[in-house]
Amino acid sequence: MDYALIINGTARKTADYADVKNPSTFEVVGRMPLGTPQDLDDAVAAAAEAFKTWSVTPDAERQAACHAIAAKIEAHAEELAQLITAEQGKQLNGLGSRFEVGGTAFWTHSTADLQLPVEVIQDNEQGRIELHRKAIGVIGSITPWNWPMLIGSWHLIPAVRTGNTIVIKPSPYTPLSTIRMVELMNEVLPPGVVNCVSGADSLGAVMSAHPGISKMVFTGSTATGRKIMASAAPTLKRLTLELGGNDAGVVLPDADPKAIAPGLFWGAFINGGQTCAALKRLYVHDSIYDAVCDALVEFAATVPMGDGRDESNQLGPIQNEMQFKRVCALVNEAKQAGGRILCGGAPRGGNGYFYPITFVADVQEGTRLVDEEQFGPVLPIIRYTDVEDAMRRANDNPLGLGGSVWSSDVSKAKQLVQRLECGTGWVNKHGGIQPNAPFGGIKQSGIGVEFGPEGLKEYTVTQTVYC
Ligand code: NAD
């Protein structure tokens, strides 16, 4: 099936298309329209026109529109979940595509209910000063392939809620669920408020330099984030950048290995490890190192991986060839550096980008598997003897998205987690996020936050009014 661009509320065919393939089977799922710079210009012009009325539409109407979008998503939940599984590969059940669609609807309702009321800074005989938050203009959104619909909604809904209009460019690996979501949104919204122009990476570069766009919101790799920041500079676009992570978890000697194993496992391997704030480096105290390794390997054996359309699977494939090759290379390098494979360690073979759950023990910093983001079903487990040393090593990384400390002593873990250099810290869990709590990276993991009132503010500019 050929999908279409959505510009000014209308489906637009393109001259060229690219196949979108299921990473479990390599079957063609649909064809992505390859938008051109002219299509992007038209989408930006439509969004600019729509901004004139959407930005002054009463807040209650915009709130109601967001709830109506959530209801549309709920009504089409199974169709959307099947589409995500087909193009992204993740399984339908567990923390898979039905979870992603449910999360999208839940986040949309929650974001609809957020408010940014006028703040009164001063009101006395010297005068009254109010702080107003106003929509910015046309927003450009670029999304990745790991949680295509959920992350798309994290860009689109706060933009729409606050009176902006937006053009989204989904990842070329997983564009179809975003196109379908934008179609559904256009059943609710006036034409031009939300537009979708899919295409190659080069279209993203054109978007981030586009003079008609006032803010870029980007979720993806740190390398691409740098390029977007550079090309946004000449027009001083506002930026929200949600970039890569290499989250450390530190397991203290008093932790109970069997009790923490499921939390560690899903913290690392939600979506097969293809999650920005997944646990990516695990530091375990020498005294319980072997017990934690054993408990993790035992738990991994209970989690079925396979074609996402099979209802029994709990994990799917790696999404694309580039990422698959990267995971293979990182594991091979770690083996050469003395890493001990506890399970997995080589691709499964046959159809699909399947790589088994892999734990690599006895690795250290200096190996890419530890130093860089692997973004796949592989976890390095690093031995330490001194907690202060583990904390130093956990922080000695340019990325700073999330981090966790695992212990039977929650107050000690809480103190330590606050010393991790990251935007979100967890105690005895890893990776959970909510629509009412800000989420974002520090250091080279990004700029700005999403979610909650803090996230919503990023879609506004302030105006101070003396009256
Ligand atoms: P990517 O950076 O390769 O691609 C992301 C998007 O950027 C795609 O839509 C792509 O077409 C576009 N793009 C590529 N080159 C571009 C350019 N020069 N200018 C503008 N756009 C361009 O990332 P990916 O491989 O799709 O996603 C994986 C990465 O995303 C990982 O590093 C992961 O940690 C990160 N991520 C971060 C978060 C977060 O919230 N912090 C969430 C999910 C994923």
Side-chain angles (χ1 to χ4, degrees):
M1 174 184 167
D2 288 353
Y3 283 70
L5 310 179
I6 298 157
I7 298 172
N8 206 25
T10 307
R12 179 184 287 190
K13 293 196 177 311
T14 52
D16 298 310
Y17 290 81
D19 288 344
V20 177
K21 292 186 182 165
N22 183 331
S24 290
T25 59
F26 306 146
E27 287 163 351
V28 176
V29 177
R31 295 208 310 157
M32 167 181 79
L34 284 167
T36 62
Q38 180 62 54
D39 292 320
L40 188 62
D41 282 348
D42 294 347
V44 172
E49 187 58 33
F51 182 77
K52 292 177 191 163
T53 43
W54 188 246
S55 58
V56 292
T57 297
D59 192 61
E61 275 181 43
R62 295 198 300 245
Q63 182 174 42
C66 291
H67 281 304
I69 289 169
K72 283 272 173 202
I73 290 166
E74 282 160 349
H76 292 266
E78 186 58 20
E79 172 204 343
L80 290 162
Q82 295 284 347
L83 189 52
I84 293 171
T85 290
E87 68 173 350
Q88 205 282 337
K90 70 182 62 172
Q91 76 289 348
L92 288 164
N93 290 320
L95 300 170
S97 56
R98 289 180 182 136
F99 168 79
E100 177 163 358
V101 175
T104 303
F106 174 64
W107 237 274
T108 300
H109 279 305
S110 304
T111 307
D113 285 336
L114 294 174
Q115 304 281 352
L116 292 179
V118 173
E119 288 172 47
V120 178
I121 290 169
Q122 178 187 302
D123 191 13
N124 58 21
E125 54 284 1
Q126 269 86 46
R128 181 176 166 95
I129 308 172
E130 296 174 351
L131 183 65
H132 293 247
R133 297 199 175 265
K134 297 166 52 160
I136 302 173
V138 179
I139 312 283
S141 147
I142 299 179
T143 51
W145 45 259
N146 55 346
W147 296 91
M149 191 174 149
L150 187 60
I151 292 176
S153 75
W154 290 347
H155 294 188
L156 296 171
I157 299 301
V160 167
R161 175 74 190 86
T162 43
N164 299 280
T165 56
I166 184 161
V167 182
I168 185 169
K169 190 208 80 65
S171 167
Y173 291 112
T174 54
L176 308 182
S177 52
T178 302
I179 293 173
R180 185 68 187 119
M181 176 170 66
V182 171
E183 271 175 10
L184 292 171
M185 288 181 174
N186 272 276
E187 292 177 10
V188 171
L189 296 168
V193 173
V194 173
N195 307 272
C196 181
V197 181
S198 53
D201 290 352
S202 54
L203 198 66
V206 176
M207 179 186 260
S208 53
H210 200 291
I213 290 178
S214 302
K215 172 190 169 89
M216 286 299 304
V217 51
F218 170 72
T219 303
S221 63
T222 296
T224 306
R226 284 190 197 103
K227 290 182 195 163
I228 288 175
M229 197 169 178
S231 55
T235 46
L236 274 179
K237 292 183 189 3
R238 274 68 190 147
L239 291 172
T240 300
L241 301 177
E242 297 289 357
L243 309 178
N246 193 4
D247 291 11
V250 179
V251 179
L252 303 186
D254 66 358
D256 175 349
K258 272 204 185 305
I260 64 173
L264 287 172
F265 182 90
W266 288 115
F269 296 126
I270 179 172
N271 203 28
Q274 302 165 108
T275 298
C276 52
L279 173 58
K280 295 187 175 131
R281 298 174 285 153
L282 185 61
Y283 290 84
V284 180
H285 191 267
D286 183 48
S287 60
I288 56 166
Y289 187 86
D290 292 338
V292 170
C293 289
D294 291 347
L296 282 171
V297 170
E298 198 178 310
F299 188 83
T302 68
V303 180
M305 175 189 283
D307 189 323
R309 292 168 302 185
D310 181 333
E311 298 274 347
S312 63
N313 284 326
Q314 294 292 312
L315 286 172
I318 293 177
Q319 205 280 327
N320 57 69
E321 185 184 16
M322 174 201 65
Q323 194 59 34
F324 179 75
K325 285 185 169 161
R326 176 171 165 80
V327 166
C328 293
L330 292 182
V331 174
N332 290 340
E333 281 176 33
K335 278 193 233 174
Q336 277 158 21
R340 186 162 51 90
I341 304 294
L342 301 179
C343 61
R348 193 167 90 176
N351 244 5
Y353 298 123
F354 287 102
Y355 200 97
I357 290 297
T358 298
F359 294 107
V360 187
D362 299 337
V363 268
Q364 300 208 21
E365 297 80 5
T367 351
R368 283 205 300 155
L369 181 60
V370 177
D371 295 345
E372 297 180 15
E373 178 180 41
Q374 64 275 47
F375 220 62
V378 182
L379 183 68
I381 309 180
I382 306 146
R383 196 187 294 266
Y384 76 86
T385 50
D386 173 57
V387 175
E388 286 302 317
D389 183 50
M391 293 294 292
R392 183 189 58 71
R393 291 158 74 186
N395 283 334
D396 188 18
N397 192 278
L399 302 182
L401 195 53
S404 56
V405 176
W406 304 70
S407 168
S408 302
D409 182 342
V410 171
S411 69
K412 183 164 76 183
K414 192 176 152 198
Q415 277 175 4
L416 285 172
V417 91
Q418 289 174 75
R419 287 172 48 201
L420 287 176
E421 294 168 2
C422 53
T424 303
W426 293 276
V427 171
N428 291 332
K429 48 177 132 32
H430 198 113
I433 49 175
Q434 298 187 181
N436 57 351
F439 171 77
I442 62 167
K443 303 205 281 188
Q444 293 184 35
S445 283
I447 292 178
V449 293
E450 296 183 284
F451 315 151
E454 291 304 313
L456 208 57
K457 284 176 187 169
E458 301 219 358
Y459 288 84
T460 65
V461 282
T462 56
Q463 187 180 39
T464 308
V465 177
Y466 290 76
C467 48

